[in-house]
Amino acid sequence: MNTLKLGGTDLEISEVGFGGIPIMPLPKTEAVAIIKYCFERGITFFDTANMYLTSEEKIGSALETVRDKVVIATKTTQRDASGAAAHIDTSLKQLKTDWIDIYQFHNVSNKDALEQILAPQGAYEAVCKARDAGKIRFIGISSHSISTAMEALKTDLFQTLQFPFNFIENDPENELFPFACQHNIGIIAMKPLGGGLLERADLCFGFLQQHPHVVPIPGIRANNEADEIIQLYRHPQPLSKSDLKEMKNIQTVLGERFCHRCEYCMPCEQGVQIPSVLIFQSAAKRLSPEGVSAWLGKAMESVAQCIECGQCEEKCPYNLPIADLLKENLALFKEIEERRPPWK
Ligand code: SF4
Ligand code: SF4
């Protein structure tokens, strides 16, 4: 596996990393075995988050003995200093390490969240303190909003950016990623497979390989998935004309219903957690019924509060039929809940 230096950091990482979401529902021994399998085959970059339940603990257990040979990134959803400080200590403990290579502010997708983090007593202060104490090496940010991410990068306070990027969600190519490159900010691509909605890995990684400065972190939950991805990186193939045609078809079909999680539709006055509801279908493909219920169950219940006022649809830059999509995702959630054994 080839390696690269991530932006202006001194972190040398494999050209494809490991995303820590899909290992959440797996039994610990199974998850640990998959992580080790990936490491043994050249993957040296592992991304997780405090929010991903057992993911940090599994990654920590798998990589404890090779800690100095891997780069670990994790995240906090906390926006104030005391909350972030507590999350850092929890992550260090769960990851079984003395340091975190990249500590990211999780899902900073609106102006308020960015302002809270950077305010006096905000989370950024705690992360700087932890960096000065040697607990953190580099500070990063993850976002689903181009405008908020641009604003964040312009502060010059973040060394890495994590953003969704795949051939459906390719907007960052226009302004965000060129800006990050010019400023030597390391780029990590979340959702390289469209959050599980894009089934052809060859197309997804063929697209990403056209952006060699971007490091994708696909979620991997089985050895055969790791094999397929590693093979695509060991023997990259240029996209053919028919591949490009197929990608265009998929863009057309999915593009009209694909939530980019930019949060421009938020907040909903009725409390509907719109982006979380709209990713339910892709999450259900990647997680077990128990895992997806634990993660998104509360968001799905919020759909009952929708009064179909239409305000969210007016704000959505992708013109998504949000009210219909809420109903579709809710129906799928109910179907999965009904199939789930009652004792689980
Ligand atoms: S529904 Fe539209 S505005 Fe809301 S998060 Fe999804 S893409 Fe963005
Ligand atoms: S249509 Fe429903 S989800 Fe959208 S803003 Fe109105 S109440 Fe909220």
Side-chain angles (χ1 to χ4, degrees), residues 258-266 274-275 278 312 315-318 320 322:
F258 196 88
C259 174
H260 295 239
R261 302 201 71 195
C262 60
E263 297 197 9
Y264 293 133
C265 55
M266 295 291 278
I274 302 167
L278 298 196
C312 53
K315 290 189 272 182
C316 176
Y318 301 96
L320 297 188
I322 297 176

Side-chain angles (χ1 to χ4, degrees), residues 246-265:
E246 177 62 8
M247 285 161 73
K248 207 82 218 137
N249 288 342
I250 298 170
Q251 275 169 338
T252 311
V253 173
L254 274 184
E256 290 164 9
R257 310 179 70 74
F258 196 88
C259 174
H260 295 239
R261 302 201 71 195
C262 60
E263 297 197 9
Y264 293 133
C265 55

Side-chain angles (χ1 to χ4, degrees), residues 124 126-139 159:
Y124 196 87
V127 175
C128 286
K129 228 184 210 173
R131 184 184 54 189
D132 296 345
K135 296 178 180 177
I136 283 167
R137 298 200 54 209
F138 297 99
I139 302 176
Q159 283 87 57

Side-chain angles (χ1 to χ4, degrees), residues 265 267-272 274 305-313 322-323 326:
C265 55
C268 158
E269 283 174 10
Q270 305 302 318
V272 181
I274 302 167
Q305 290 144 226
C306 176
I307 54 167
E308 300 196 27
C309 67
Q311 284 180 21
C312 53
E313 293 185 3
I322 297 176
L326 291 174

